[in-house]
Amino acid sequence: MQAYDYIIIGQGIAGTVISHQLREAGMTVLVINQTNANASSRVAAGIINPITGRKMSLTWRAHDLFPYLWDFYSQLEKQLGIKALHLQEIYRPFLEVVEQNDWMGKSAEDNFKPFVNSVNAPAEEGIHAPHDGLALNQAGWLDLNLLLDTYRDALGVHYREAAFREEDLLLTAEGVEYEGVKAKGIIYAQGYAVGESKYWEGLPFRPVKGEVLTIELDRDFERIYNRGVFALPLGNHRYRVGATYDNHNLNYEVTEQARKTLLEKLEGLVKLSPKVVDQRAGIRPATKDRRPFIGQHPDYPQIFLFGGLGTKGVSLAPFFGEQLKNLLLKGTKIEPEVDIYRFF
């Protein structure tokens, strides 16, 4: 029987990050994954954004997350020999003058200062920004499909393309056994599908469907624009535009309503006429309290969870993956705010 330190279920951003962190620490892992073009990590734009939401709030734990994620992904892309991480300014147009005035004060605060380039920056031609806007640094995006595909190939024989059948998982005194493989433990990291596991069915997952468009415009913008919707430049006049939020219809079907909503919001941001070339839907692994689910099962010590990363998986995964790695290697406790023990 083949032996590993850990079996990891799922190779989205969560599974990729924790598998890399464990391998870098000298652990052996087997990643089991069934590729799905509609998986959240495959549909997501991968935007790294320090100021988010309608109220333009500082991303939770930004001062911890952002220094760590830039270093982590930079090192990973170098090892893989790819260019997946893109440092790119995000521009948020102000809706009214009072908003601009508020940010003149905020930008001098220690909390916001590291992430603000300019408070009264003019937009590029073709953008609705009558009151100028907020230009953000430490921002950009991660090419998730490139990263995931390249990392999967790099895993080689330590990657298994297959559906995970929980009924075939055997828990033993030494760890787990699964289809000819034994390991110290197993890590569930397959997004919202974790909620279907009998071991994690009590956790308050709140999955959310999101739809995104790929469009063409008559010009290329240098920034990522974000207000109401985001418009992420992909090059060659193409952009990713999103995203919708639907917590009722949890399926992968694209809808005319979502397309209409995104185009209407885009019209308020971009003056140019778009041509839609693609529309996709995914389901975000969100949680009731909007915090990740990380840690060790209270009743089955050989079972672990790394999930619930929601809409900010790219930003959250490296920092909190390090905490899970330290739990596995050193027994270091997970922070209470993200530890799954808060629900048991």
Side-chain angles (χ1 to χ4, degrees):
M1 184 172 285
Q2 195 172 8
Y4 285 90
D5 288 307
Y6 293 96
I7 297 171
I8 298 173
I9 307 303
Q11 199 245 323
I13 191 62
T16 295
V17 166
I18 189 59
S19 64
H20 179 67
Q21 289 172 326
L22 291 176
R23 282 159 58 90
E24 286 289 284
M27 299 289 101
T28 57
V29 302
L30 173 67
V31 178
I32 301 173
N33 177 68
Q34 186 170 41
T35 301
N36 175 7
N38 292 104
S40 179
S41 293
R42 293 287 181 173
V43 176
I47 293 178
I48 300 166
N49 186 359
I51 306 293
T52 61
R54 286 175 294 180
K55 297 181 179 180
M56 298 209 296
S57 302
L58 186 67
T59 293
W60 174 68
R61 299 292 297 275
H63 292 277
D64 296 319
L65 301 178
F66 279 70
Y68 197 94
L69 72 87
W70 289 112
D71 182 67
F72 176 85
Y73 291 123
S74 295
Q75 293 299 321
L76 180 54
E77 67 174 359
K78 286 178 184 177
Q79 290 186 30
L80 295 175
I82 59 174
K83 181 57 181 176
L85 184 63
H86 302 272
L87 181 65
Q88 192 168 16
E89 193 174 72
I90 291 180
Y91 183 98
R92 302 200 55 153
F94 292 124
L95 300 182
E96 50 190 17
V97 174
V98 66
E99 197 172 41
Q100 184 187 57
N101 293 335
D102 287 344
W103 272 98
M104 289 296 291
K106 284 183 179 180
S107 64
E109 298 175 10
D110 291 341
N111 216 24
F112 293 99
K113 193 173 182 179
F115 304 106
V116 177
N117 266 350
S118 175
V119 173
N120 55 356
E124 297 171 77
E125 185 179 351
I127 296 294
H128 291 292
H131 307 295
D132 293 330
L134 181 67
L136 303 173
N137 59 23
Q138 294 197 50
W141 64 287
L142 182 68
D143 189 334
L144 281 164
N145 282 285
L146 175 61
L147 180 73
L148 300 184
D149 288 343
T150 309
Y151 191 78
R152 176 194 60 205
D153 294 342
L155 284 169
V157 296
H158 307 299
Y159 174 87
R160 184 180 294 181
E161 178 70 33
F164 174 63
R165 295 186 296 274
E166 190 172 72
E167 63 271 20
D168 294 335
L169 178 66
L170 177 64
L171 306 186
T172 69
E174 293 76 29
V176 299
E177 293 181 7
Y178 181 77
E179 294 190 345
V181 174
K182 62 180 180 179
K184 297 176 184 177
I186 186 168
I187 303 170
Y188 283 72
Q190 71 270 52
Y192 91 99
V194 170
E196 300 172 359
S197 165
K198 67 181 181 181
Y199 297 109
W200 305 113
E201 60 185 0
L203 290 177
F205 282 94
R206 296 293 185 270
V208 180
K209 177 181 178 180
E211 296 188 50
V212 297
L213 304 176
T214 301
I215 66 165
E216 288 182 355
L217 296 173
D218 289 337
R219 61 161 295 173
D220 288 318
F221 293 118
E222 295 182 0
R223 296 169 168 140
I224 300 169
Y225 284 91
N226 186 356
R227 201 65 201 250
V229 292
F230 62 77
L232 168 65
L234 302 174
N236 298 318
H237 295 191
R238 289 204 168 190
Y239 298 79
R240 186 71 56 80
V241 174
T244 60
Y245 292 81
D246 181 355
N247 54 14
H248 298 294
N249 303 298
L250 300 179
N251 57 57
Y252 296 130
E253 296 179 7
V254 297
T255 65
E256 184 60 33
Q257 181 58 50
R259 179 188 179 113
K260 180 181 178 182
T261 297
L262 291 174
L263 290 177
E264 286 178 350
K265 290 183 177 181
L266 182 66
E267 187 177 356
L269 179 65
V270 178
K271 298 177 182 179
L272 308 177
S273 298
K275 174 186 175 184
V276 178
V277 296
D278 186 37
Q279 182 174 351
R280 298 174 65 187
I283 301 177
R284 307 176 184 90
T287 66
K288 180 181 179 180
D289 61 1
R290 299 185 180 182
R291 297 291 180 260
F293 291 160
I294 306 171
Q296 185 176 33
H297 198 287
D299 300 320
Y300 306 100
Q302 59 274 74
I303 300 179
F304 300 85
L305 175 59
F306 187 40
L309 301 184
T311 60
K312 295 182 174 62
V314 168
S315 300
L316 295 169
F319 182 80
F320 288 109
E322 182 77 7
Q323 291 198 16
L324 179 57
K325 182 198 79 172
N326 290 335
L327 170 68
L328 298 175
L329 272 61
K330 306 173 186 178
T332 307
K333 290 185 177 181
I334 303 291
E335 290 183 19
E337 197 170 5
V338 301
D339 196 327
I340 55 175
Y341 271 75
R342 68 191 190 272
F343 296 110
F344 289 98

